[in-house]
Amino acid sequence: MTSGDDTKERAPGEAVGMDPKKSACVLIGVSKYQHLPNLPSVPGNLDALSRLLTDRSVWGLPADRIVRVPDPQAAGDLTGPIYDAIEQAPDTLIVYYAGHGLKTLEDEQLYLTVSTSRRNRSETTLAYRRVRQILESCRDRVKHRVVILDCCHSGQALDGMAVSEAGLQDAELRTKGSYVLTATAADEKAVADSTKRYTAFSGELIKILQNGDPRRPDRERLSLDEIHKLLVQSLDLRTLPMPRKQDQDGVGALPFVWNRASRRPPRPPEYWTRRRRAWAGLALASTLTAGAAAGHWAPELWSTGSERAAIPGSCGKGSRATLLDVSDQLDEPGYDEFQGSEVAGLSGLALADGSGGAYAVRDETPAQIFTLSLGSPGALPGKLNPRVTGVQGIYKPDGSKFTTFDGEGLVVEKGGKTALVSSEKGPAIRRIRLSDGKQIGKDLPLPNTFYPPPRGVAESTRNVESLAVIPDGTLLYAGMEAPLLGDEDVHGRHQVRIERYRGSSGGHYEPDRQIGYQTEEGLYLSELVAVGPDRLLALERGYIRGLGNGVRVYEVDLRGAANLTDTEHLVKDDSDRMAHKTLLVDLADCPPGNVRTDDDQQNPLLDNVEGMALGPAIPAGGKAKVPEGSRALYLISDNNSRSEQTTRLYALAVSLQRS
């Protein structure tokens, strides 16, 4: 197996690097001791690592291949699960240990402790040499063996893990075809503060798995060596002990986990559970068969570049949404560039105040807002004819350019002269004067937790993703794309936070309430639209390679949702504190229309939709059979400035629930 970026073409299902489907992991953690100080942060290590390693957007280890061993009582409780895991891991075996590590003056060996271990009694511990021997014995059956040791040697700290590596020779850690990562260097003490959720070393490892490497957004996978380098950098910034690594046969260079900071479309595979994969295949087959028999939606419907069914059309039986039109015109020559600026990366969408047009903010630099005409005069919103009519750079208050920018959320304030723009890089929410693009005033205040580490606990590339303001401007909502570090998922459904601000258009806004929102499996919160003071529309989207995008819009009722401002960590049992939501439209259920796709999609209509805007009322009836009281809803996809993706605009009619 060769090392390097996981970007080359390969056959579907072909494994590159460490294959989670053929691997296993043993997570051992000792927190409760009879004769040594307890380590209360160790269980948090096991919880987070178990969740992340089985998350297919991180690695995707099958849930039945990860074994947690909390508070083993005897040496056999440590070795037994390792023997069992060997039988399940022809590719990679990971053994993780967190607890007290001891050494004796007699032989200068490392001894792993169990709950009943006593200091200076090596017979009550497990010599690491025995673990090494077990791993050496299976070298012909297990291709890669990874050991992660978050432990000490001396255990002198009363409320932590004391460590000294003076007696730990490289030979002790050397196993052919293996990689060993240790928490400390020679003669240092590791940190395990009982007031923290994780031990220091494992906490940094968890952050890396959770957030990826934001400095390498071009890199899709991270190797163990790259993880070690990131650990060294982050621990050094905190003046904590430096970790060590021992690599045999180049295991450390192999692609390992997905880099969650990659700018490629997010891939939330939990949306595609085995049951849903089967359901999607059956639904597709039955649709094609029924369509062919009826003489429409013929089997070639789903092939790249074929003609699509006519629209408008309902988005599923009993749906409250109708697809009115869809257009890829902004991707076509003559429309994909305006005055030398590439029309790409459109991530936030907002309707212009009373003009019938719209604004779209570009992610990444150059920081720009495009002015769009959505349709021909008199045809809006039934027929799309999108084109760019203007472009405005976004500048700092002194007129200089932003060197780092990642525009995501966009709202036009009352009066139409200013807009609020959120940037994930910073992160920041800024007020922009639309006439010249200059920032007015200071950034809006953000909770400290909404910043990436070390200031906060948010993902560096999935933080302040969406903005929404109610019509009178008194309430502003800012939504996080992904959970904060430490906020638990619920079977793949992300528990994200929405900050509510109180203030006025063009004036000052202050945070006054934090609301929880739970996405569907594997999807992320991409955009918000305010319908009223306590009602939002929420756009959820995600991506899995080989199956494509998931795009859904929900109506959200904020009444009854708990105020989470002072809630440090969300847990699974907090589901009842989240805002209530109701499905409005699943884009996969809409008629495909006359669009093309070069990607694998369950419906060629689907793409990386990130922007959403709620439009005016639409007359009932007509060819589209629009229900009474419907409103226009516009969606736009972000092509990530990649030629293989599409800038696509959608127009729908939606019938909203009455408050």
Side-chain angles (χ1 to χ4, degrees):
M1 193 72 66
T2 59
S3 62
D5 285 339
D6 180 27
T7 55
K8 64 179 182 178
E9 293 295 325
R10 60 184 185 274
E14 180 185 350
V16 174
M18 300 181 185
D19 185 358
K21 295 180 181 178
K22 299 178 181 179
S23 302
C25 176
V26 181
L27 299 175
I28 305 166
V30 192
S31 63
K32 299 177 182 178
Y33 287 90
Q34 296 179 16
H35 309 289
L36 297 171
N38 290 332
L39 300 172
S41 50
V42 166
N45 296 353
L46 302 193
D47 290 343
L49 290 172
S50 177
R51 172 174 57 85
L52 289 168
L53 291 174
T54 55
D55 186 333
R56 289 172 58 188
S57 70
V58 177
W59 193 35
L61 185 70
D64 60 353
R65 303 276 188 83
I66 193 162
V67 178
R68 293 170 53 171
V69 185
D71 297 321
Q73 299 293 308
D77 297 335
L78 288 175
T79 57
I82 298 175
Y83 280 116
D84 294 339
I86 288 171
E87 304 304 319
Q88 296 181 302
D91 188 89
T92 302
L93 172 63
I94 298 176
V95 177
Y96 167 89
Y97 174 85
H100 285 297
L102 302 176
K103 70 172 185 178
T104 65
L105 296 176
E106 291 80 9
D107 57 14
E108 294 292 331
Q109 281 195 60
L110 170 65
Y111 289 89
L112 307 181
T113 60
V114 294
S115 291
T116 56
S117 293
R118 291 176 178 267
R119 200 181 308 276
N120 299 322
R121 295 188 185 181
S122 59
E123 68 274 11
T124 66
T125 65
L126 176 69
Y128 178 76
R129 178 189 300 171
R130 181 57 190 147
V131 176
R132 177 173 56 82
Q133 290 170 345
I134 295 171
L135 296 179
E136 285 180 342
S137 69
C138 70
R139 57 188 298 181
D140 294 332
R141 287 179 287 166
V142 181
K143 188 184 300 183
H144 315 121
R145 292 160 303 284
V146 179
V147 179
I148 302 174
L149 299 174
D150 187 356
C151 66
C152 63
H153 288 166
S154 60
Q156 294 298 312
L158 294 177
D159 197 17
M161 293 183 288
V163 124
S164 171
E165 284 195 340
L168 185 59
Q169 303 299 316
D170 285 346
E172 269 311 299
L173 298 176
R174 188 169 294 138
T175 300
K176 199 72 171 175
S178 70
Y179 193 92
V180 181
L181 184 62
T182 64
T184 64
D187 296 321
E188 290 184 309
K189 293 183 178 181
V191 178
D193 188 341
S194 64
T195 66
K196 303 297 183 182
R197 188 176 181 86
Y198 312 116
T199 60
F201 168 80
S202 292
E204 293 302 322
L205 174 61
I206 289 163
K207 288 180 183 178
I208 292 168
L209 297 178
Q210 180 85 29
N211 300 333
D213 183 0
R215 287 166 293 188
R216 292 295 308 274
D218 60 312
R219 193 164 184 83
E220 197 169 17
R221 300 278 289 275
L222 297 178
S223 67
L224 284 163
D225 277 345
E226 288 167 323
I227 290 173
H228 171 260
K229 183 178 179 180
L230 290 170
L231 281 168
V232 169
Q233 293 169 348
S234 58
L235 290 166
D236 186 44
L237 285 174
R238 298 175 57 192
T239 63
L240 292 171
M242 293 294 97
R244 289 186 60 190
K245 68 182 178 74
Q246 179 78 44
D247 186 10
Q248 291 291 309
D249 293 347
V251 175
L254 296 175
F256 177 30
V257 295
W258 295 106
N259 178 14
R260 278 186 159 185
S262 170
R263 291 308 299 170
R264 292 174 172 83
R267 55 183 70 77
E270 275 77 9
Y271 182 73
W272 300 101
T273 60
R274 183 177 298 175
R275 179 179 297 176
R276 284 183 173 168
R277 288 174 188 264
W279 176 88
L282 291 172
L284 175 58
S286 63
T287 298
L288 297 181
T289 303
H296 61 280
W297 287 24
E300 66 267 24
L301 167 70
W302 304 98
S303 63
T304 300
S306 64
E307 291 300 313
R308 311 302 180 196
I311 48 179
S314 174
C315 295
K317 186 177 180 180
S319 172
R320 293 185 288 126
T322 301
L323 181 65
L324 299 176
D325 199 10
V326 57
S327 174
D328 292 350
Q329 184 165 285
L330 293 176
D331 250 19
E332 297 175 3
Y335 295 91
D336 62 351
E337 183 178 312
F338 184 83
Q339 296 180 354
S341 292
E342 180 187 16
V343 180
L346 306 186
S347 187
L349 185 68
L351 297 187
D353 190 9
S355 69
Y359 295 101
V361 65
R362 178 176 182 165
D363 65 3
E364 301 295 342
T365 52
Q368 293 174 320
I369 293 180
F370 292 95
T371 306
L372 306 178
S373 172
L374 300 182
S376 301
L380 189 70
K383 185 64 176 176
L384 292 172
N385 182 25
R387 58 196 183 279
V388 175
T389 59
V391 61
Q392 176 60 62
I394 300 176
Y395 302 100
K396 297 179 181 179
D398 62 3
S400 61
K401 294 181 179 180
F402 284 100
T403 56
T404 58
F405 184 82
D406 188 357
E408 298 291 351
L410 173 68
V411 294
V412 175
E413 295 192 279
K414 189 176 180 180
K417 295 182 178 181
T418 58
L420 296 173
V421 180
S422 67
S423 171
E424 285 189 320
K425 289 183 178 177
I429 303 174
R430 303 180 175 106
R431 176 172 285 115
I432 303 298
R433 188 165 51 224
L434 290 171
S435 61
D436 60 9
K438 286 187 179 180
Q439 179 176 349
I440 303 171
K442 297 181 179 180
D443 296 354
L444 269 62
L446 284 172
N448 281 332
T449 54
F450 280 23
Y451 290 85
R455 179 175 177 178
V457 288
E459 291 192 38
S460 59
T461 58
R462 287 184 181 159
N463 44 65
V464 187
E465 177 80 9
S466 54
L467 292 178
V469 66
I470 67 173
D472 68 4
T474 57
L475 293 177
L476 171 72
Y477 295 91
M480 300 293 283
E481 181 180 6
L484 301 180
L485 182 63
D487 285 349
E488 295 182 357
D489 288 357
V490 181
H491 306 297
R493 296 190 293 273
H494 301 302
Q495 297 190 121
V496 301
R497 302 186 187 224
I498 301 171
E499 187 70 31
R500 189 181 77 178
Y501 293 78
R502 192 173 294 276
S504 60
S505 293
H508 188 63
Y509 282 102
E510 280 290 339
D512 82 327
R513 188 177 183 85
Q514 197 171 103
I515 300 158
Y517 178 87
Q518 188 179 113
T519 70
E520 291 306 294
E521 293 173 274
L523 299 183
Y524 293 85
L525 180 60
S526 182
E527 189 59 283
L528 294 172
V529 167
V531 180
D534 295 308
R535 297 176 65 204
L536 302 174
L537 297 185
L539 170 64
E540 299 182 18
R541 67 92 175 86
Y543 177 83
I544 177 173
R545 180 176 301 160
L547 287 173
N549 292 90
V551 180
R552 293 182 173 188
V553 179
Y554 289 86
E555 288 187 83
V556 185
D557 187 347
L558 304 180
R559 294 171 298 184
N563 185 356
L564 305 178
T565 300
D566 297 324
T567 302
E568 183 178 1
H569 297 295
L570 297 177
V571 298
K572 293 183 175 66
D573 292 341
D574 285 330
S575 297
D576 61 337
R577 305 175 69 198
M578 304 291 109
H580 177 74
K581 69 179 188 179
T582 305
L583 180 65
L584 178 62
V585 56
D586 186 337
L587 208 59
D589 294 334
C590 296
N594 188 22
V595 293
R596 302 169 184 268
T597 181
D598 294 324
D599 201 358
D600 295 315
Q601 299 283 0
Q602 58 169 328
N603 182 335
L605 186 73
L606 296 170
D607 209 278
N608 184 40
V609 177
E610 290 203 14
M612 177 173 65
L614 185 62
I618 301 176
K623 181 181 177 181
K625 299 180 181 179
V626 174
E628 186 75 31
S630 293
R631 294 181 65 177
L633 182 70
Y634 299 97
L635 306 175
I636 197 165
S637 65
D638 176 4
N639 71 349
N640 289 312
S641 299
R642 300 174 69 190
S643 59
E644 58 268 36
Q645 291 183 253
T646 305
T647 300
R648 179 170 292 164
L649 185 67
Y650 309 77
L652 299 97
V654 293
S655 176
L656 303 181
Q657 293 178 339
R658 298 185 183 276
S659 57

